[in-house]
Amino acid sequence: INKMNMKIVIAGGTGFIGSKLVADLSNENEILVLTRSVSKADKNVKYLKWDPYQQDVDFLANSISGYDAIINLTGESLANKRWSRKEKDLILKSRIMSTRYLVEAMGKAKEKPKILLNSSAIGYYKKDTEDVLDEGSGVGADFLSNICIMWENEAMKAAKYGVNVAIIRTGIVIGKGGILDKLKKIVKIGFSAYEKDQWFSWIDLQDLCDLIRFI
């Protein structure tokens, strides 16, 4: 893939996917990482502390003004804790509120980005089917589907400011430090229940980063 030499904002740039993406992009581009806690230092990357729940929109707008692209990877992990009512609320709000603030900031920025690349998930689609699904397949009606619908709707609002919007609906991301490490621990203590006809859709971490880079 050709070098880009762009100015890119990555929200969620210290997470599992974000960390790899920042490493891939930072040698060729100017990167601004939005994070809740600034604890890292990198000569090629700027880190800006932000609160996706109580954000100063004007400050964020000034911070992202002049950047070419916004990549939004924010969101509470689906696999860290039991889905209590409180956790489900956090899973929802961490995606909706952060995206809403980012879009509002784009609208106020003097120099708006050319593109918003926003995460979503294949949880958008209907479940319990052996059918091969594509972008035209029906939307589901469960918790994850509803989150994806609301999440994408917030991102698409950036279009009214002249920003191109790209939505990526990914499956489970496989890479070092990801879901396989969690499953490995469960298997080691004898709680594996997978059979040959049980499967899940997945994408390799490097392939996902290359996909984002291409877009």
Side-chain angles (χ1 to χ4, degrees):
I1 301 175
N2 294 329
K3 293 184 177 181
M4 294 181 291
N5 297 315
M6 295 174 64
K7 296 178 66 177
I8 304 170
V9 177
I10 303 179
T14 57
F16 172 58
I17 298 170
S19 296
K20 173 61 175 169
L21 186 63
V22 169
D24 283 0
L25 296 179
S26 59
N27 287 332
E28 304 160 3
N29 306 279
E30 182 179 331
I31 306 296
L32 173 64
V33 174
L34 303 182
T35 178
R36 284 178 291 181
S37 59
V38 179
S39 58
K40 297 185 178 183
D42 189 317
K43 64 180 180 179
N44 296 323
V45 182
K46 298 177 183 177
Y47 291 87
L48 178 68
K49 186 174 182 179
W50 80 313
D51 184 344
Y53 301 104
Q54 296 178 332
Q55 182 60 46
D56 183 333
V57 176
D58 290 329
F59 173 75
L60 185 58
N62 290 331
S63 299
I64 67 173
S65 180
Y67 278 81
D68 300 301
I70 311 290
I71 301 173
N72 183 23
L73 304 173
T74 55
E76 182 73 12
S77 173
L78 301 179
N80 281 349
K81 298 178 182 178
R82 185 178 67 86
W83 281 12
S84 63
R85 182 177 297 178
K86 181 179 179 181
E87 185 66 13
K88 289 171 74 174
D89 187 58
L90 182 60
I91 289 171
L92 172 63
K93 287 183 178 178
S94 63
R95 287 160 172 77
I96 302 304
M97 297 304 294
S98 59
T99 305
R100 183 174 298 167
Y101 278 130
L102 277 170
V103 170
E104 288 178 1
M106 290 179 214
K108 289 190 173 185
K110 291 182 179 180
E111 296 182 56
K112 295 174 176 50
K114 298 177 180 67
I115 185 170
L116 166 65
L117 193 154
N118 207 85
S119 290
S120 186
I122 59 172
Y124 175 94
Y125 300 104
K126 59 186 179 180
K127 315 296 188 297
D128 302 321
T129 176
E130 296 291 327
D131 296 338
V132 175
L133 305 180
D134 59 25
E135 291 181 2
S137 299
V139 63
D142 61 4
F143 172 65
L144 289 181
S145 298
N146 290 331
I147 283 181
C148 290
I149 292 170
M150 289 186 284
W151 196 7
E152 293 182 16
N153 285 342
E154 290 294 336
M156 290 305 301
K157 292 176 183 178
K160 67 182 179 182
Y161 301 122
V163 178
N164 291 316
V165 181
I167 303 290
I168 297 183
R169 296 175 183 152
T170 58
I172 296 172
V173 182
I174 300 297
K176 185 177 181 181
I179 187 68
L180 289 184
D181 286 3
K182 291 182 173 65
L183 293 176
K184 184 178 179 180
K185 293 176 182 178
I186 296 173
V187 170
K188 280 188 173 181
I189 58 176
F191 284 99
S192 173
Y194 280 98
E195 298 178 1
K196 64 181 180 180
D197 59 345
Q198 292 180 303
W199 50 270
F200 58 74
S201 299
W202 61 277
I203 183 170
D204 178 75
L205 176 59
Q206 185 63 64
D207 285 344
L208 176 57
C209 289
D210 289 345
L211 171 65
I212 292 172
R213 180 173 175 158
F214 175 77
I215 294 172

